[in-house]
């Protein structure tokens, strides 16, 4: 009896890679890629040699890749194969993962998922609780009005990060400590950086992640110090105290909810911890 779990990771992934490539190849017809259909095709889709030719790689190399042999593949070659097989973004990422190559999204198309009207409706329906949709890098993808009002300081919202999207870490580390909306910086910020590092492990080598970390470390020596510690923690429920210009301190419990269909994204809701904080949130609603 073969115990699959005992096999090395590479030996387990290679058969999956082979099966995945064969299934994607069978899905693409010669007409899809501008080739004549030809005669005597015993199986659907493209032949191996056709995929190799269209991708600019050797037939033997591609055959070995599809057979699950332990050969190395570069990101450039995988991109070429992905284009030939007409893989969409999730399929391309899956291909990279099976081939054990760091996935690097196209920098001309930032990896910011689209937020559906239904998901925005869920955030809005969470009123009277502040709620936000984050990705693993703490980019702010969507919010409800109470979250906006809670994080508004002096009439200004969260600052944008290096890629033109609002980012909580960028906002917290790029301002003086006296302007930070999080009261207990010494406790909360190390936890957030440790959570970021946990997510970073799935994105090592990806240009947008590497540049984000590099630029934030340049802006904030505090972030650079915390990052260099190497600490890692998972997301979790925590009590946070926010400083608001009109309300003073507001104590809230954060709860993270994963979102199906949006990998590494989560809805975070904030529930008042005491009556004073609840009244503060009610005041925000009336503004």
């Amino acid at each position: 009896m073969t115990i699959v779990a005992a096999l090395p990771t590479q030996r387990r992934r290679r058969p999956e890679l082979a099966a995945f490539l064969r299934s994607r190849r069978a899905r693409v017809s010669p007409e899809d890629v501008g080739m004549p259909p030809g005669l005597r095709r015993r199986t659907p889709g493209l032949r191996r040699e056709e995929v190799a030719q269209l991708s600019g790689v050797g037939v033997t190399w591609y055959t070995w890749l599809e057979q699950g042999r332990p050969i190395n593949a570069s990101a450039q070659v995988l991109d070429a194969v992905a284009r030939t097989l007409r893989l969409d973004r999730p399929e391309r990422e899956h291909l990279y993962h099976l081939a054990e190559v760091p996935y690097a999204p196209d920098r001309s198309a930032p990896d910011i998922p689209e937020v559906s009207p239904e998901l925005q409706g869920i955030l809005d329906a969470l009123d009277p609780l502040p709620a936000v949709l984050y990705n693993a890098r703490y980019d702010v993808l969507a919010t409800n009005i109470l979250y906006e009002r809670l994080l508004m300081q002096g009439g200004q919202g969260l600052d944008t990060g290096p890629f033109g999207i609002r980012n909580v870490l960028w906002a917290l580390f790029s301002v003086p400590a006296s302007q930070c909306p999080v009261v207990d910086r010494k406790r909360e910020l190390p936890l957030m950086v440790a959570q970021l590092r946990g997510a970073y492990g799935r994105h090592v080598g990806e240009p947008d992640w590497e540049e984000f970390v590099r630029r934030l470390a340049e802006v904030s020596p505090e972030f650079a110090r915390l990052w260099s510690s190497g600490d890692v923690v998972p997301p979790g429920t925590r009590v946070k105290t926010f400083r608001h210009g009109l309300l003073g301190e507001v104590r809230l419990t954060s709860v993270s909810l994963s979102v199906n269909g949006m990998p590494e994204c989560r809805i975070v809701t904030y529930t008042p911890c005491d009556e004073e904080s609840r009244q503060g949130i009610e005041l925000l609603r009336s503004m």
Side-chain angles (χ1 to χ4, degrees), residues 1-285:
M1 177 179 177
T2 300
I3 302 177
V4 176
L7 293 174
T9 300
Q10 186 180 58
R11 289 180 58 190
R12 293 173 59 186
R13 286 180 177 170
R14 290 296 171 172
E16 290 293 330
L17 173 62
F20 179 68
L21 288 172
R22 288 195 297 269
S23 68
R24 301 305 91 177
R25 175 167 60 86
R27 190 182 61 177
V28 182
S29 69
E31 294 89 339
D32 290 335
V33 293
M35 298 179 65
L39 301 174
R40 296 182 180 180
R41 286 186 177 269
R42 294 177 294 179
T43 58
L46 298 175
R47 299 187 177 100
R48 285 175 176 170
E49 57 268 25
E50 292 169 339
V51 174
Q53 177 186 350
L54 292 168
S55 303
V57 300
V59 175
T60 300
W61 184 90
Y62 178 78
T63 299
W64 286 357
L65 183 68
E66 196 174 289
Q67 289 175 344
R69 298 197 187 189
I71 60 175
N72 294 324
S74 67
Q76 292 78 8
V77 169
L78 290 179
D79 277 342
V81 172
R83 285 192 296 270
T84 298
L85 298 180
R86 308 182 72 162
L87 303 186
D88 60 21
R89 190 180 186 91
E91 290 173 329
R92 185 183 297 255
E93 185 171 358
H94 186 58
L95 172 65
Y96 268 72
H97 181 69
L98 293 178
E100 298 182 288
V101 174
Y103 178 62
D106 184 0
R107 286 298 307 281
S108 64
D111 188 20
I112 305 300
E114 182 177 353
V115 178
S116 68
E118 294 78 12
L119 189 52
Q120 181 63 58
I122 291 173
L123 291 171
D124 295 337
L126 286 169
D127 183 301
L129 302 181
V132 59
L133 176 66
Y134 293 135
N135 62 12
R137 204 168 50 224
Y138 282 98
D139 291 327
V140 178
L141 306 182
T143 68
N144 65 10
I145 189 64
L146 279 175
Y147 180 89
E148 295 287 338
R149 292 173 179 173
L150 176 66
L151 271 295
M152 293 282 277
Q153 299 293 317
Q156 297 180 353
L158 290 173
D159 195 6
T160 58
F163 304 113
I165 183 171
R166 295 191 300 172
N167 181 275
V168 171
L169 286 174
W170 192 267
L172 297 181
F173 281 102
S174 64
V175 300
S178 60
Q179 298 178 19
C180 180
V182 175
V183 173
D184 193 353
R185 285 175 56 100
K186 292 183 178 180
R187 181 184 71 89
E188 186 60 31
L189 267 59
L191 291 173
M192 296 179 71
V193 174
Q195 187 171 319
L196 177 74
R197 181 172 277 281
Y200 170 79
R202 299 185 292 273
H203 299 274
V204 174
E206 295 180 14
D208 54 345
W209 274 78
E210 298 293 347
E211 184 171 351
F212 176 81
V213 171
R214 179 184 63 81
R215 294 185 64 176
L216 190 51
E218 290 178 350
V219 167
S220 170
E222 182 182 10
F223 172 82
R225 175 180 58 80
L226 293 173
W227 184 259
S228 65
S229 72
D231 292 341
V232 174
V233 298
T237 299
R238 296 198 297 273
V239 175
K240 301 182 181 182
T241 302
F242 293 95
R243 181 186 297 109
H244 191 275
L246 297 177
L247 306 178
E249 294 187 0
V250 182
R251 289 163 293 281
L252 306 170
T253 299
S254 66
V255 178
S256 295
L257 309 170
S258 61
V259 182
N260 287 340
M262 298 184 72
E264 299 186 83
C265 292
R266 65 195 187 279
I267 291 176
V268 179
T269 62
Y270 297 90
T271 304
C273 295
D274 50 49
E275 181 60 22
E276 183 180 357
S277 297
R278 187 193 66 77
Q279 292 178 3
I281 293 300
E282 285 296 325
L283 181 58
L284 284 181
R285 295 182 71 196

